[in-house]
């Protein structure tokens, strides 16, 4: 009888675990607010290369992803609630002929040119790349990095234009803040049109979300029992009025009667540390 029960429990546990895995939710990076991402030139593009071209890496076409220009950083709050992050990475193939097409140009301080096209209806500028003044571009060379809570979790090494997309599968369980970083390959940003292809997060309850580049992470709250214990200790402190009255004598010259103390304000919300002067 005991063996039968044990087997039943094991089977039940396996069934529950399988159900929990299959019930995990998924969200794609292009479905988030990309306006919060940092990028040196241009803006991240949803389901397209940063230049507006189709997502194409090593001759292979993709329908979903985020196109960026090195150097860029996409920071997400995972709240330690995400299990797996999967994607492909690569440098987008170039189909635009920058020498033939009539793009507008802005000279940069390093001697390169920023190319863009203008929407004829609203005058909106679309970034199309950084290259030489004659319209020539490098193939592109970038490094993809994934950084979790300040620690590097993945480094692609050098990824060059024309190469096939590389697959990434990373367990980010327990990570609070994840950064998707693209750096230039050390030879400038010409042609560095990088793609995060089919980037998907698997999560349990709270959706991952983009945050500003200066976001530091969630603020940890203390357990309720610890807070109650601290509040009871604060309530036992003597009360003091603010601002604290200044004594008539200088404690550096005469320290008689000067006594340091810990007090609470009358509303009980603040603690006052006083050196008695």
């Amino acid at each position: 009888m005991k063996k039968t029960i044990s087997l039943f429990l094991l089977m039940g546990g396996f069934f529950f675990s399988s159900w929990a895995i299959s019930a995990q939710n998924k969200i794609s990076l292009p479905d988030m607010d990309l306006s919060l991402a940092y990028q040196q030139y241009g803006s991240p593009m949803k389901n397209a290369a940063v230049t507006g071209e189709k997502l194409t890496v090593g001759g292979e076409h993709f329908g979903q992803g985020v196109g960026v220009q090195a150097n860029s950083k996409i920071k997400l709050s995972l709240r330690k609630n995400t299990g797996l992050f999967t994607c492909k990475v690569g440098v987008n193939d170039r189909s635009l002929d920058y020498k033939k097409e009539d793009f507008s140009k802005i000279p940069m301080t390093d001697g390169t040119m920023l190319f863009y096209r203008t929407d004829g209806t609203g005058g909106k500028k679309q970034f199309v790349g950084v290259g030489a003044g004659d319209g020539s571009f490098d193939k592109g060379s970038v490094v993809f990095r994934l950084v979790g809570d300040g620690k590097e979790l993945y480094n692609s090494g050098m990824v060059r234009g024309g190469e096939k997309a590389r697959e990434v599968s990373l367990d980010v369980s327990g990570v609070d803040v994840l950064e998707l970083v693209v750096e230039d390959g050390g030879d400038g940003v010409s042609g560095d049109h990088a793609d995060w292809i089919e980037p998907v997060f698997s999560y349990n309850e709270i959706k991952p979300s983009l945050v500003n580049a200066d976001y530091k992470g969630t603020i940890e709250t203390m357990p309720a029992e610890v807070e109650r214990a601290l509040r009871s200790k604060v309530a036992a402190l003597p009360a003091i009025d603010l601002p604290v009255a200044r004594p008539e004598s200088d404690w550096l010259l005469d320290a008689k009667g000067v006594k340091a103390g810990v007090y609470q304000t009358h509303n009980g919300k603040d603690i006052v540390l006083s050196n008695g002067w």
Side-chain angles (χ1 to χ4, degrees):
M1 183 68 178
K2 289 183 179 179
K3 290 183 179 179
T4 304
I5 294 173
S6 299
L7 180 61
F8 175 78
L9 290 174
L10 285 171
M11 291 179 65
F14 175 76
F15 173 78
F16 177 79
S17 299
S18 301
W19 175 84
I21 293 172
S22 62
Q24 205 169 45
N25 301 301
K26 293 185 178 181
I27 186 171
S28 178
L29 182 62
D31 295 333
M32 302 182 197
D33 183 7
L34 297 176
S35 67
L36 296 174
Y38 163 79
Q39 192 164 290
Q40 189 173 6
Y41 300 112
S43 301
M45 293 291 287
K46 175 181 177 179
N47 299 331
V50 69
T51 61
E53 299 168 272
K54 292 182 178 180
L55 289 172
T56 309
V57 176
E60 186 176 359
H61 301 286
F62 301 93
Q64 193 245 24
V66 174
V68 299
Q69 165 74 46
N71 296 288
S72 73
K73 180 186 293 185
I74 300 174
K75 186 177 281 192
L76 302 105
S77 171
L78 305 185
R79 293 179 176 271
K80 302 180 181 181
N81 198 58
T82 301
L84 189 67
F85 172 60
T86 59
C87 70
K88 298 181 180 71
V89 296
V91 176
N92 206 80
D93 297 347
R94 191 163 62 247
S95 60
L96 300 174
D97 190 332
Y98 293 84
K99 292 184 178 180
K100 290 183 179 179
E101 298 193 46
D102 186 23
F103 293 125
S104 299
K105 296 182 287 186
I106 298 176
M108 311 297 288
T109 55
D110 60 0
T112 59
M113 289 283 183
L114 188 151
F115 291 77
Y116 66 94
R117 62 163 65 95
T118 304
D119 183 350
T121 56
K124 185 179 179 180
K125 294 179 180 178
Q126 167 62 51
F127 170 84
V128 292
V130 177
D134 62 356
S136 60
F137 275 71
D138 295 334
K139 270 193 169 183
S141 57
V142 303
V143 176
F144 293 85
R145 298 172 60 233
L146 295 171
V147 180
D149 296 333
K151 298 179 181 179
E152 184 174 85
L153 306 178
Y154 170 82
N155 188 312
S156 68
M158 193 70 72
V159 179
R160 303 183 187 277
E163 297 178 354
K164 291 291 185 180
R166 304 183 188 183
E167 294 192 7
V168 179
S169 180
L170 183 67
D171 182 0
V172 292
S173 302
V175 174
D176 185 23
V177 179
L178 182 68
E179 299 173 53
L180 279 60
V181 180
V182 176
E183 300 171 344
D184 71 81
D187 55 358
V189 297
S190 178
D192 289 352
H193 309 150
D195 298 333
W196 296 99
I197 302 165
E198 299 171 354
V200 175
F201 297 87
S202 299
Y203 67 97
N204 293 316
E205 297 175 354
I206 306 172
K207 290 182 180 180
S209 60
L210 260 74
V211 291
N212 290 315
D214 59 353
Y215 179 76
K216 301 300 183 183
T218 54
I219 300 174
E220 298 288 345
T221 57
M222 69 179 70
E225 60 273 16
V226 175
E227 183 178 357
R228 285 194 296 269
L230 287 175
R231 286 189 180 279
S232 65
K233 291 183 180 299
V234 171
L237 295 173
I240 192 172
D241 291 321
L242 294 178
V244 178
R246 298 185 63 178
E248 297 180 357
S249 60
D250 189 335
W251 69 274
L252 288 173
L253 300 176
D254 183 9
K256 292 179 181 179
V258 176
K259 185 179 179 181
V262 181
Y263 307 89
Q264 64 164 313
T265 55
H266 282 289
N267 59 15
K269 292 183 178 181
D270 300 301
I271 296 175
V272 179
L273 303 178
S274 173
N275 61 3
W277 182 83

